[in-house]
Amino acid sequence: MWLVWTIGVVGYALSVTNRTSLSSVGVDAAVRFDADASALSLFAVIQLAVYGGMQIPVGLMLDRFGARPIITAGMLLMAAGQFVMAFADDLAVGILARVLIGAGDAAVFPSVLRLIATWFPERRAPFLVQMTGILGQTGQIVSIIPLAALLHATSWSVAFGSLAGLGLLFAALVFAMIRNHPPGRTQDVSVDTETGAIRVVTSAADLREGFVESWGHPATRLAFWSHFTTPFAGTAFVMLWGFPFLTAGEGLTPPVASLVVTAFVVFGMVAGPVIGALSSRHPMRRSMMLVLPTVAFQALAWLVVIVWPGPAPIWLLFVLAFALSTGGPASMIAFDHARTYNPSHRLSTATGIVNGGGFIAGLLAILFIGLAMDAQGAGSPDTYSLEAFRIAFLTQFPLWGLGAAFIIYERHRTRVHLGMTQPRAKRRDRDTGPDRDTGPDADASPDADAAPDADPDA
């Protein structure tokens, strides 16, 4: 079983490499495709849109065919996408390549989660899911350093053709070594080794009543906005705009810029277990103690970098990388909300809704930055400037503000829904109530923190 998981984790790391393969070669891509900033943004925006849109179809196919053929198909799609990218010199063809990569990438992580659920006891699943996410992020390091070095030492076609070849080899390995479930089982089931309970593992989402019911629960909306608000700045930074900002904007050499982006990945791997442990230890204060402070930390770090007179010192850029790295681990708290407060029969629907929040915010952030660069006349690598990047990155702040406002609002709605907070009285009720100052709840604040034995984050 450990061999199956190891192959799955390496496969996920390879999918992350494919996903972020433009992170350190964005300037090269802009030159190759003669693309302005908004057109360059389309590579990442469309890729993320396809990834998000494929989540439900992938779940349906997993239920029907199992993990082995779906991972294999995902690897083949990513290999095809990188092969097309290797020889593309037209923007439309390049976008087609990213569509294929996004579709293939979408198949891998849910399939690995299916393997964990069917091959391992339920009590081990949370730890293995967390480790899969952490170890999979090493794929970003491959896209940041070795891929960029190979491209600059050889050519665009060789670099992306090599990724295509690696995808083909790994597709063959997955098909040869992975099985949908352990020997002796005829379907995908998980086993609780402590109680002996057996349940069928499913991924499919109910697209009708399930969606309405899931979205109707305020905890699902709280989870959606938590996932919307926390990771998008790091996504925009590592997928496309971080490396051009560091080199063309801040004036760092490519090796030093690669070190900063690599630090983002490493910091995220370190922060993940810490935030996970704090979330488990303080489940009653997750939104106020972890989610919103993480958002504030990212916004503050970006604000300091933006207003710093002249190029920011290298230590400050590492602080920025650390701040942005906390967004990914903090976003995983959203799935705790969805898992805790949705019944099992609609858990996949709720998870899909929540997962969509981060990708919507990520593609909006990437697109807005590109549009802002073009609006300033800094749409091509030879016109990139530090001032243009500073103004462009300000477009992230409305997304943070929108998301934070909805987190606070839906947190209160969730507490009311679960009976932990009294709903706010309507103004006319407050004005006409004869005992409004002496009632039993007169001294209670509807936004007060819950008692120690209650969970305000629902």
Side-chain angles (χ1 to χ4, degrees), residues 145 245 274 298:
I145 299 177
F245 165 72
V274 176
Q298 294 179 73

Side-chain angles (χ1 to χ4, degrees), residues 228-285:
F228 178 98
T229 313
T230 45
F232 72 80
T235 299
F237 188 83
V238 76
M239 280 197 70
L240 190 62
W241 290 116
F243 203 84
F245 165 72
L246 294 172
T247 53
E250 292 289 347
L252 301 183
T253 63
V256 176
S258 296
L259 184 62
V260 173
V261 180
T262 301
F264 165 88
V265 180
V266 176
F267 287 150
M269 295 171 67
V270 173
V274 176
I275 291 178
L278 289 174
S279 178
S280 299
R281 183 172 296 181
H282 303 282
M284 301 170 245
R285 300 289 183 269

Side-chain angles (χ1 to χ4, degrees), residues 128-148:
L128 290 174
V129 169
Q130 185 181 65
M131 290 305 300
T132 299
I134 292 171
L135 295 174
Q137 297 313 304
T138 58
Q140 295 186 46
I141 298 176
V142 176
S143 66
I144 292 166
I145 299 177
L147 180 64

